[in-house]
Amino acid sequence: MATRAAAEQPMTAAMWDRRYSKKAYAYGTEPNDFLLEVLPIVQERLSQDQCALSHEDEGAGYEVRVLSLGEGEGRNAVYLASKGPGWLVTGVDASRAGLAKARAFAAERGVRVKTVAADLAEFDLGEGCWDLIVSIFCHLPMAVRSRVHAACERALRPGGVVLLEAFAPGQLSCRS
């Protein structure tokens, strides 16, 4: 049985690099089920709040700026980028191996995803710059998790949305 102390052991970039260095995709290439289920609701919310504004002066047209935390091999970022040319998706992960696969997967699917290799304990999410921040099972130590979640709130544009799926405490006793 896993203990809370074991669950709080750091999941290092090297550990994730080993996992993502295999040819197969560790979590597959299909987007997360929760993301698929709730994204239409999020899209409606963003549309109603008009937080993704037209940037005519930039010539960019309609934009939805998305930050995906703990993106890994890119399955969620690639799906989000496929929503349209105005979906500007940035995936952040500590694993360079995972992000290399994310870039290759995006190229294979004909979409563009910006990737940033960074430790989320030190990554600056910015202020008021994202319409959507996605965190799907992003494994962070408790102290880092609290700081990152607080930073997410500051990093959203008015009307923006944080989409979070995480493990419940009961997961600690499972081997997954």
Coordinates of all heavy atoms in Angstrom, one line a residue, residues 11-19 93-96:
M11 N 8.4 13.5 -8.6 CA 8.4 12.8 -9.9 C 9.3 13.7 -10.8 O 8.8 14.7 -11.3 CB 6.9 12.7 -10.4 CG 6.1 11.9 -9.6 SD 4.4 11.7 -10.3 CE 3.9 10.2 -9.6
T12 N 10.5 13.3 -11.0 CA 11.5 14.1 -11.6 C 11.4 14.1 -13.1 O 10.7 13.2 -13.7 CB 12.9 13.6 -11.3 OG1 13.1 12.3 -11.8 CG2 13.1 13.5 -9.8
A13 N 12.0 15.0 -13.8 CA 12.0 15.1 -15.2 C 12.7 13.8 -15.8 O 12.2 13.3 -16.8 CB 12.8 16.3 -15.7
A14 N 13.7 13.3 -15.1 CA 14.4 12.1 -15.5 C 13.5 10.9 -15.5 O 13.5 10.1 -16.4 CB 15.6 11.9 -14.7
M15 N 12.6 10.8 -14.5 CA 11.7 9.7 -14.4 C 10.7 9.8 -15.5 O 10.4 8.8 -16.2 CB 10.9 9.8 -13.0 CG 9.9 8.6 -12.8 SD 8.3 9.0 -12.1 CE 7.6 10.1 -13.3
W16 N 10.2 11.0 -15.8 CA 9.2 11.2 -16.9 C 9.9 10.9 -18.3 O 9.3 10.4 -19.2 CB 8.5 12.5 -16.9 CG 7.5 12.6 -15.8 CD1 7.7 13.4 -14.6 CD2 6.3 11.9 -15.6 NE1 6.6 13.2 -13.8 CE2 5.7 12.3 -14.4 CE3 5.6 11.0 -16.4 CZ2 4.5 11.8 -14.0 CZ3 4.4 10.5 -16.0 CH2 3.9 10.9 -14.8
D17 N 11.2 11.4 -18.4 CA 11.9 11.1 -19.6 C 12.0 9.6 -19.9 O 11.9 9.2 -21.1 CB 13.3 11.8 -19.6 CG 13.3 13.3 -19.9 OD1 12.3 13.8 -20.5 OD2 14.3 13.9 -19.6
R18 N 12.3 8.9 -18.9 CA 12.4 7.4 -19.0 C 11.1 6.9 -19.5 O 11.0 6.0 -20.4 CB 12.8 6.7 -17.7 CG 14.3 6.9 -17.4 CD 14.8 6.0 -16.3 NE 14.1 6.3 -15.0 CZ 14.4 7.2 -14.2 NH1 15.4 8.0 -14.5 NH2 13.7 7.4 -13.1
R19 N 10.0 7.3 -18.9 CA 8.7 6.8 -19.3 C 8.3 7.2 -20.7 O 7.8 6.4 -21.5 CB 7.6 7.4 -18.3 CG 6.2 7.0 -18.7 CD 5.2 7.4 -17.7 NE 4.9 6.2 -16.9 CZ 4.1 6.2 -15.9 NH1 3.5 7.3 -15.5 NH2 3.8 5.1 -15.2
D93 N 5.9 21.0 -19.8 CA 6.2 19.7 -19.1 C 7.6 19.8 -18.7 O 8.4 20.4 -19.4 CB 5.9 18.5 -19.9 CG 5.7 17.3 -19.1 OD1 6.7 16.7 -18.7 OD2 4.5 16.9 -18.9
A94 N 8.0 19.0 -17.7 CA 9.4 18.9 -17.3 C 10.2 17.9 -18.2 O 11.4 18.0 -18.3 CB 9.5 18.4 -15.8
S95 N 9.4 17.1 -18.9 CA 10.1 16.0 -19.7 C 10.3 16.5 -21.1 O 9.4 16.7 -21.9 CB 9.2 14.8 -19.7 OG 9.7 13.9 -20.7
R96 N 11.6 16.6 -21.5 CA 12.0 17.0 -22.8 C 11.6 15.8 -23.8 O 11.2 16.1 -24.9 CB 13.5 17.3 -22.9 CG 13.8 18.6 -22.2 CD 15.3 18.9 -22.3 NE 15.6 20.1 -21.5 CZ 15.4 21.4 -21.8 NH1 14.8 21.6 -22.9 NH2 15.7 22.3 -21.0

